[in-house]
Amino acid sequence: MSNPEKSTAVANNELGRKLGLGAVIALGVGTTVGSGIFSSLSEVANAASSSLFLVLAFLIGGLLQVPANFCYAELASAFPEDGGQYVYFREAGSRPLAFLCGWVSFWATDPPSISIMALAIVNYLAYFLPMHGIVLKIVATVFVLIFMFVHLRSVEGGGKFQTIITALKILPFVLIIGVGLFFMDSSTLLSSTPLAGASATGITALLAGISATTWSFDGMGAACYMSGEIKEPEKNMPRGLILTALIVLALYVGLTFVSSGLLTIDELAASDAPIALLASKIPVIGQGADVVVAIMAIIVVIGSLSSCIMFQPRIEYAMARDGLFFKQFGQVHPKYQTPAFSIVVQCMVAIVLIFASSLSDLLGYFTVIALLKNFLTFGTIFVLRRKAHYKPTYKMPGGYVMPVIAMAMTATLIYSTFIWSAIPSIIAAVVAVGTGLPAYYLMERQNKNSAK
């Protein structure tokens, strides 16, 4: 028998609802738990200045990130369609801001993130198969092409792969936590002994540690970009987003708890590879720690790469459907029922960037812009709740408390990033607005001409 939902989607040239709760969680966890956790333990340890504060920083930092997912849950239940932040700005009544959100995402943040992750996979793979130069870039390109075809050919197949790879990337962390619990040293566990030469102690150090964890929790709202392809989104989006936050929180707190029982704060703060150092202290894993961690890193980053290639092209697809991006991006492949053009173009841009230099610098220029998008997204709650058409099937607890907390956490990051790189941030803002607004008004003029 034919699937009536699929038939309707085909007839309307739209994407069908083919993904369930598992895909929502896989996208959120798969995007959030990336290569950053392999270095962030050291960064947070340096900021928090004690093992006790290290664990508390991840616990409190994670709890403070939960409100962001509550916000996304409400927004996604109100507008269960593809596009994520773009849709929320549009529905809040700001088409120019909605356009700028997608414009910056396409040209500045999304393709570079794919490029950087592909290169990271190959760098870890080089531990087993030494490679460098052009060979390394070619292999990175192959990874992008592989996952481009996976997500191009089937939404269901891509969703299943994402679920499997996310489970695989979590498994090694669970193994380290589970086995590590049996070998912890009570003298270092949750120790309040300060880091040697610590510049800050007490509540100041704890607050610094909490701030340093924020990037580790970024990405949990990834599934919002694909709300239009989730079955029963009024139920599965809120459940999936909240479960994502709880899973990531449990994983990070468990990892830092075990770290505090196996390593001193000085060892954690000084290490360039804290996860590898942690694994080396566990007798069962010990001698093969480098191999284990290299394999972990490859799986972890593959999961993040796959997730980004899967959800990121949906924002341009949604914009094109509204006449705010090149119309080809709104096309749905007649056979595969995926936004094929949008996926292919984003991956092609990423491949070009793989062969460019200073990708991390390019991404850094737009960090403040990306954070500002998040800040304004949470702010749309205040506008949307006053609009008659805003009818979410899920309402977050605490009234406006959750978006206030989410905005405060994001504002902290914006401030710290701006202080660290003020000039690049200003340049990025000027470039984004200077190129985006003319493009917006040009497309709106074309829309008006077409309507005549």
Side-chain angles (χ1 to χ4, degrees):
M1 292 181 67
S2 62
N3 185 333
E5 184 176 292
K6 182 176 180 179
S7 300
T8 301
V10 172
N12 296 331
N13 193 32
E14 295 177 352
L15 301 175
R17 297 190 181 279
K18 303 174 183 179
L19 303 173
L21 177 62
V24 178
I25 298 171
L27 278 166
V29 176
T31 304
T32 307
V33 183
S35 58
I37 190 61
F38 287 88
S39 59
S40 63
L41 270 180
S42 292
E43 295 168 5
V44 181
N46 270 298
S49 298
S50 77
S51 296
L52 174 62
F53 284 172
L54 170 66
V55 179
L56 286 177
F58 271 98
L59 174 61
I60 297 170
L63 290 174
L64 288 174
Q65 289 299 315
V66 171
N69 269 29
F70 275 125
C71 292
Y72 283 127
E74 180 172 315
L75 290 166
S77 74
F79 307 111
E81 55 185 283
D82 282 7
Q85 291 175 320
Y86 161 76
V87 173
Y88 311 145
F89 288 131
R90 183 196 69 196
E91 294 301 321
S94 180
R95 279 173 70 87
L97 194 56
F99 176 82
L100 283 174
C101 169
W103 182 259
V104 172
S105 295
F106 181 74
W107 293 112
T109 58
D110 292 354
S113 66
I114 291 173
S115 306
I116 289 169
M117 282 185 281
L119 288 168
I121 292 169
V122 182
N123 283 328
Y124 286 118
L125 192 61
Y127 181 86
F128 304 101
L129 301 169
M131 63 184 90
H132 59 274
I134 191 68
V135 174
L136 187 144
K137 293 177 182 291
I138 290 172
V139 176
T141 298
V142 170
F143 273 101
V144 173
L145 291 173
I146 288 171
F147 295 114
M148 181 186 80
F149 282 111
V150 166
H151 294 297
L152 179 70
R153 291 183 61 86
S154 172
V155 174
E156 299 103 312
K160 288 177 182 176
F161 174 81
Q162 189 60 43
T163 302
I164 292 169
I165 197 68
T166 299
L168 286 175
K169 74 191 291 182
I170 289 175
L171 193 60
F173 288 110
V174 173
L175 178 66
I176 286 177
I177 294 168
V179 177
L181 287 171
F182 294 97
F183 299 98
M184 293 193 297
D185 184 348
S186 59
S187 66
T188 62
L189 182 64
L190 300 178
S191 171
S192 59
T193 303
L195 178 68
S199 58
T201 56
I203 191 64
T204 303
L206 178 58
L207 290 173
I210 292 169
S211 178
T213 67
T214 311
W215 279 120
S216 301
F217 292 97
D218 186 53
M220 291 192 289
C224 293
Y225 286 83
M226 297 186 69
S227 297
E229 296 163 80
I230 305 297
K231 300 172 184 176
E232 298 184 278
E234 66 282 352
K235 295 180 181 178
N236 286 329
M237 286 302 297
R239 288 175 183 171
L241 288 165
I242 293 166
L243 284 171
T244 293
L246 294 177
I247 289 169
V248 174
L249 176 62
L251 190 66
Y252 286 173
V253 171
L255 194 63
T256 51
F257 178 75
V258 169
S259 297
S260 78
L262 291 171
L263 299 166
T264 66
I265 191 64
D266 295 279
E267 289 176 315
L268 276 168
S271 177
D272 292 328
I275 302 294
L277 181 61
L278 173 62
S280 71
K281 297 290 184 178
I282 302 174
V284 179
I285 302 171
Q287 293 181 341
D290 289 347
V291 174
V292 170
V293 173
I295 293 172
M296 281 176 65
I298 291 169
I299 295 172
V300 163
V301 186
I302 281 177
S304 297
L305 175 64
S306 171
S307 175
C308 287
I309 291 176
M310 185 177 185
F311 80 81
Q312 286 178 172
R314 266 60 182 184
I315 190 168
E316 290 79 29
Y317 162 80
M319 292 172 68
R321 305 289 284 189
D322 289 342
L324 284 181
F325 212 67
F326 308 104
K327 63 180 181 180
Q328 294 89 343
F329 283 79
Q331 294 175 355
V332 175
H333 194 284
K335 180 179 179 181
Y336 303 137
Q337 289 301 290
T338 58
F341 188 87
S342 188
I343 293 172
V344 170
V345 172
Q346 186 165 122
C347 288
M348 291 303 104
V349 173
I351 288 170
V352 170
L353 292 175
I354 283 174
F355 291 89
S357 59
S358 302
L359 279 178
S360 58
D361 293 341
L362 177 64
L363 195 59
Y365 267 79
F366 286 84
T367 299
V368 167
I369 300 295
L371 287 170
L372 191 58
K373 285 194 305 177
N374 294 342
F375 180 84
L376 293 173
T377 298
F378 304 135
T380 61
I381 295 284
F382 296 91
V383 177
L384 287 166
R385 282 189 172 181
R386 291 175 171 80
K387 292 186 175 288
H389 76 287
Y390 185 66
K391 298 177 181 178
T393 56
Y394 169 84
K395 271 209 167 185
M396 72 184 89
Y400 289 110
V401 173
M402 296 299 173
V404 167
I405 294 174
M407 293 176 79
M409 290 297 293
T410 310
T412 302
L413 268 183
I414 292 172
Y415 175 76
S416 61
T417 306
F418 186 81
I419 294 300
W420 170 64
S421 57
I423 299 302
S425 299
I426 293 171
I427 293 172
V430 171
V431 170
V433 175
T435 60
L437 286 181
Y440 166 74
Y441 288 116
L442 178 62
M443 290 191 179
E444 285 290 64
R445 182 184 299 173
Q446 290 177 341
N447 290 334
K448 289 179 182 178
N449 292 336
S450 300
K452 289 180 181 179

